Amino acid sequence: MTGNLRPVRFLLVEDDDDHADLILRAMMESRIVNVVERISDGESAIKYLQRAAPYEYAERPDVVLLDLNLPKLNGHELLAWIKQNPSFRNVPVVVLTTSAAEVDVARAYTSQANSYLVKPLDFEQFDRMVRSLQLYWAVWNTPSRA
Amino acid sequence: MAQRDVEAVGAEEIHEVLEAAPVGMIKVDSNGRVIFTNRELERMFRYSREQLRGAPLDVLIPDRYRVAHAEHLRRFSEMPQTRKMAVGRELFGRRSDGTEFPVDVALNPVVSGNQPFVVASVIDVTEQHESAKQLTQLAADLKERNEELERFVITVSHDLKSPLVTMLGYLGHLQRDLEAGRIEEQQEYVQRIRRAGERMKLKIDDLLSFSRVGRDGVEPSMVNIASVIQNLLDLKSEELEAKHIRVHMSCTTEALCCDPSHFERVIDNLLVNAMRYGCANPSPEVWIQVRQLPDQMVELIVADNGTGVDQKYAERVFELFQRLSSDGEGTGVGLAIVRKIANWYGGRAWVDERLGGGAQFHVTFSINRRVPVEEKAPGLPGQSSEIKPAQPQAATGTSGRSPGATL
C-alpha cells in the first residue's frame, strides 16, 4: 500500500436517477476527491469508453461502477463487452446492484467482474459501502494490481 | 392307472394354464428356433401358431436389434440363469406387420431331454411406456415452470428492491438533516421518497395485472373492436391533443371473442407505448389497424413514426421490467402483459420497423379462443364461448389533431 491518493475517476453506469444521486451524495460526504461520470445505459457506456459521439471528451475511467438492470444493453452484457475488449479489460469493474440472486453473482464473476456489491437497504450501510468503495480504489489506484 | 390319470390331467392343466396366461410365453432352442408359443404371445405379435413354430426367433425382434440379440442369446446359453432381460434398457418386439411395441422379457433356462432351451415370458408394456413418457414430460414441464417461477421471483424482488433502496436512502438523509436542523434539502428528499413509493405502487399494480392474465375473471364475450378503440381514444383525447398526435385508424374486422378487459388492456398498453416513445417526431402520428388473417386470426397493429425499436432489442422489450429508455417513465411491464394476453388467445406479439420509420407493434388473437377446462376461472360458464367469424366491414379514418378517429 502506497498511501499515495490521487483522484479516482469513476464511471458510474446507473439508470436510476435516485440511486445515482444517493451514490454521489455518499461519495461527496467523504473527504476523498473523486471524479465521477454518470451514464445511464449500457450502449451509451460503450460509446463513452470508445470516446464516440457525444463523448469525445471522455477520459478513461479508473473504475467502472456498474448496475445490472440497465435499459438496452444490460449490465451483464456491458461487463462482458468490457472484459472481452483488449483496450478495456484491465479496467476494474465493480457491480453495484439490488440483485443478490446467485445467478447474477455467478454470471458477473464468470464475466470477470472485480467485485460484486449488493446495494444495502440500510442507509448507513449504503453510505459505508460507497465510502469503503472509493477509499479502496483511491488506495489501490493502480488498476493492474486490482 | 389312477396315477397316470392324475399325471395326464396335470399335464393338460399345465397346458391350459400356459395357454390362458395373461403374459406371452415362448420356448426357444439353442439355435434360436421357436419351439412353443402360447395364445397371448401370438396375439401380441399377430402371428398364427403355425407361422411361429420352427421359425427363427429373429422374426419377433426389430431388425436393428437382431445382431445384438443373437450375441445376447449366445452368452445366455453359456451362462444360463433366470433373469429379466435388458434391465435398464428398453426392449421392443416386432409384430408380423413390422410395427414395433415395447416389451418386458424375463428369461429362464430349461433342460429337456439333455437339450438346453430358453423359456421366456413377454409382457406388452405399451401403456406403462406411454405413462412413463407422460410422467417424464410432466416432470420436465414442472421443472421448467419452477425455473420460470424462480426467474420471475428473482426479477420481481430485484426490481421492487430498487424503489426501497431509494426510499430508505433518502429517509436516512432526511433523518440526519432533521437531527442536525438542516432544512434546505428536506423537501427534495420527501419528493424523491414519494416518487419512489408511487413507482413501486405502479409496478405492483402492473405485476398483479400481469400475473392475473388468464387466471381469474376471464369472461369471453363478443367485443366490438372499433368501439373499444374509439372509447380508449376518447379517454386519451386530451393527452393526444396536448402532444399533437394524429391518429389514423383502419378496422376491417368487426368482432373478437375475448374478455373485453384483455383487448382493452392490449390496445391501451400499445397506445401508451406509442404516445410515450413514438413522439420523438416533430409531427407525431399513430396508426391503428385491425385486420382479419387466415386461420381465424385477427391482427392488431399499432405503429408510430418515432425513433423505433432497435431490432437487437425487439424480443427484450416484451420481457418483464425490460425497458429501452432510462427516462424513468413506465414500469417495464406493459408489453410483457401484451404478449402474455396474446399468447393466452393463441396468438403472439412482436415488433418490427414501420415502413418510413418508427415502431410497428403486432398482436394476433385467435377469434375463437376456446377456454380450456384447466384455465377456466371458478364461476365461468361450462361451455366454451364461440362466435361466428364476423363479416368484414371496412372502417377507415384519419383524425386531425383531434383524436376522434372516423370509424
Side-chain angles (χ1 to χ4, degrees):
Chain A
M1 194 180 289
T2 63
N4 177 25
L5 305 184
R6 73 163 172 85
V8 179
R9 185 172 293 279
F10 287 99
L11 173 62
L12 171 62
V13 190
E14 170 65 79
D15 69 319
D16 188 302
D17 289 344
D18 293 329
H19 289 200
D21 182 67
L22 285 168
I23 292 166
L24 290 174
R25 280 173 189 272
M27 282 184 164
M28 283 190 297
E29 282 172 18
S30 73
R31 302 266 168 90
I32 301 165
V33 181
N34 299 301
V35 179
V36 185
E37 285 283 354
R38 185 232 169 167
I39 298 287
S40 53
D41 71 80
E43 276 191 3
S44 301
I46 287 181
K47 283 185 190 163
Y48 181 92
L49 288 167
Q50 292 178 322
R51 295 184 183 178
Y55 304 107
E56 296 89 344
Y57 67 90
E59 289 194 40
R60 185 186 172 91
D62 294 317
V63 184
V64 174
L65 297 183
L66 180 62
D67 184 25
L68 290 181
N69 197 14
L70 298 170
K72 299 182 185 172
L73 200 73
N74 67 35
H76 283 299
E77 291 162 331
L78 177 58
L79 171 63
W81 184 89
I82 291 172
K83 292 301 180 181
Q84 283 164 16
N85 190 311
S87 308
F88 302 108
R89 67 163 66 116
N90 288 333
V91 177
V93 177
V94 177
V95 173
L96 191 53
T97 174
T98 52
S99 172
E102 274 176 40
V103 61
D104 278 332
V105 180
R107 189 174 168 195
Y109 279 122
T110 304
S111 300
Q112 299 176 314
N114 296 70
S115 186
Y116 188 103
L117 301 174
V118 179
K119 291 172 187 168
L121 287 174
D122 179 86
F123 166 70
E124 302 293 343
Q125 276 183 33
F126 190 95
D127 254 21
R128 266 202 303 278
M129 183 193 75
V130 175
R131 286 181 207 185
S132 319
L133 187 67
Q134 61 180 350
L135 181 63
Y136 179 88
W137 289 107
V139 174
W140 294 89
N141 190 344
T142 313
S144 60
R145 293 176 65 186
Chain B
M1 185 66 188
Q3 180 65 31
R4 273 206 301 274
D5 282 350
V6 170
E7 283 174 4
V9 168
E12 202 174 309
E13 277 188 341
I14 289 168
H15 181 74
E16 274 175 15
V17 168
L18 278 177
E19 282 294 11
V23 297
M25 301 293 296
I26 186 168
K27 183 179 172 187
V28 181
D29 70 12
S30 55
N31 294 319
R33 298 263 156 202
V34 176
I35 305 298
F36 167 85
T37 52
N38 72 346
R39 272 203 299 271
E40 175 60 13
L41 188 121
E42 292 149 14
R43 188 197 62 74
M44 218 183 278
F45 286 86
R46 298 179 190 163
Y47 277 104
S48 69
R49 186 155 300 181
E50 291 68 35
Q51 284 173 311
L52 285 177
R53 192 67 48 93
L57 181 63
D58 279 357
V59 298
L60 305 180
I61 297 166
D63 290 351
R64 62 185 185 283
Y65 298 124
R66 282 182 185 167
V67 174
H69 185 264
E71 177 60 16
H72 291 151
L73 183 67
R74 189 188 62 74
R75 274 196 232 151
F76 184 79
S77 306
E78 284 171 3
M79 283 179 50
Q81 54 178 326
T82 302
R83 65 172 171 87
K84 288 195 83 173
M85 196 172 165
V87 175
R89 282 188 291 128
E90 287 184 334
L91 286 177
F92 291 89
R94 182 182 185 277
R95 299 189 186 97
S96 58
D97 60 7
T99 55
E100 294 181 15
F101 63 106
V103 288
D104 206 358
V105 180
L107 304 172
N108 195 14
V110 291
V111 176
S112 174
N114 284 335
Q115 291 292 313
F117 295 92
V118 177
V119 171
S121 65
V122 183
I123 301 172
D124 181 345
V125 291
T126 304
E127 279 182 25
Q128 293 93 315
H129 218 245
E130 283 305 309
S131 304
K133 259 164 64 180
Q134 280 175 8
L135 270 179
T136 308
Q137 185 59 48
L138 275 175
D141 288 350
L142 195 61
K143 188 166 177 276
E144 199 183 309
R145 289 280 180 95
N146 276 338
E147 285 169 0
E148 203 174 273
L149 190 63
E150 199 176 331
R151 281 197 299 273
F152 180 79
V153 170
I154 288 172
T155 307
V156 169
S157 61
H158 177 186
D159 222 74
L160 289 184
K161 257 173 78 180
S162 186
L164 266 184
V165 167
T166 300
M167 287 190 269
L168 294 172
Y170 287 110
L171 274 172
H173 280 290
L174 189 61
Q175 188 176 358
R176 208 161 58 181
D177 281 14
L178 282 170
E179 284 164 5
R182 286 192 298 265
I183 56 165
E184 304 83 33
E185 293 192 285
Q186 287 180 9
Q187 193 63 31
E188 186 190 338
Y189 297 150
V190 171
Q191 277 172 3
R192 286 185 186 263
I193 292 165
R194 177 183 290 157
R195 278 202 302 268
E198 286 164 355
R199 269 204 311 278
M200 196 165 189
K201 181 191 175 300
L202 283 177
K203 279 185 180 182
I204 291 170
D205 287 347
D206 277 357
L207 266 177
L208 284 174
S209 302
F210 177 81
S211 75
R212 278 184 189 144
V213 172
R215 279 206 299 115
D216 62 8
V218 181
E219 291 178 18
S221 62
M222 273 166 52
V223 171
N224 183 322
I225 295 171
S227 86
V228 167
I229 298 173
Q230 187 57 60
N231 287 343
L232 270 172
L233 289 173
D234 288 346
L235 282 173
K236 294 183 187 304
S237 58
E238 271 182 37
E239 193 183 346
L240 286 163
E241 210 156 337
K243 291 183 171 178
H244 307 296
I245 299 172
R246 282 166 59 90
V247 180
H248 310 265
M249 183 157 151
S250 156
C251 190
T252 54
T253 191
E254 197 177 55
L256 183 66
C257 179
C258 67
D259 187 309
S261 69
H262 284 166
F263 188 67
E264 281 165 19
R265 186 82 199 206
V266 167
I267 296 267
D268 191 28
N269 287 5
L270 291 178
L271 259 180
V272 166
N273 203 65
M275 287 161 67
R276 184 176 292 150
Y277 302 113
C279 294
N281 195 300
S283 307
E285 293 181 73
V286 172
W287 290 263
I288 304 171
Q289 188 187 355
V290 185
R291 60 180 185 174
Q292 185 92 37
L293 294 180
D295 300 328
Q296 305 284 292
M297 298 296 281
V298 166
E299 183 178 20
L300 163 70
I301 302 170
V302 177
D304 61 65
N305 59 348
T307 47
V309 174
D310 188 330
Q311 284 301 295
K312 270 189 293 189
Y313 306 117
E315 271 304 298
R316 191 170 288 182
V317 291
F318 291 98
E319 290 172 17
L320 206 53
F321 296 133
Q322 294 293 328
R323 299 166 60 248
L324 296 189
S325 155
S326 49
D327 60 7
E329 286 193 66
T331 59
V333 185
L335 291 176
I337 291 176
V338 167
R339 174 167 279 183
K340 198 172 176 191
I341 292 176
N343 291 346
W344 200 80
Y345 286 94
R348 54 196 198 96
W350 73 99
V351 61
D352 55 22
E353 209 173 317
R354 189 185 76 87
L355 205 64
Q360 185 162 254
F361 285 86
H362 305 253
V363 183
T364 58
F365 304 83
S366 167
I367 62 171
N368 289 330
R369 173 30 160 127
R370 284 172 183 273
V371 184
V373 174
E374 69 271 19
E375 284 176 300
K376 275 181 193 155
L380 275 182
Q383 62 188 44
S384 51
S385 304
E386 249 182 80
I387 56 162
K388 288 181 181 165
Q391 293 300 313
Q393 278 189 0
T396 56
T398 301
S399 72
R401 295 208 181 271
S402 158
T406 315
L407 295 176

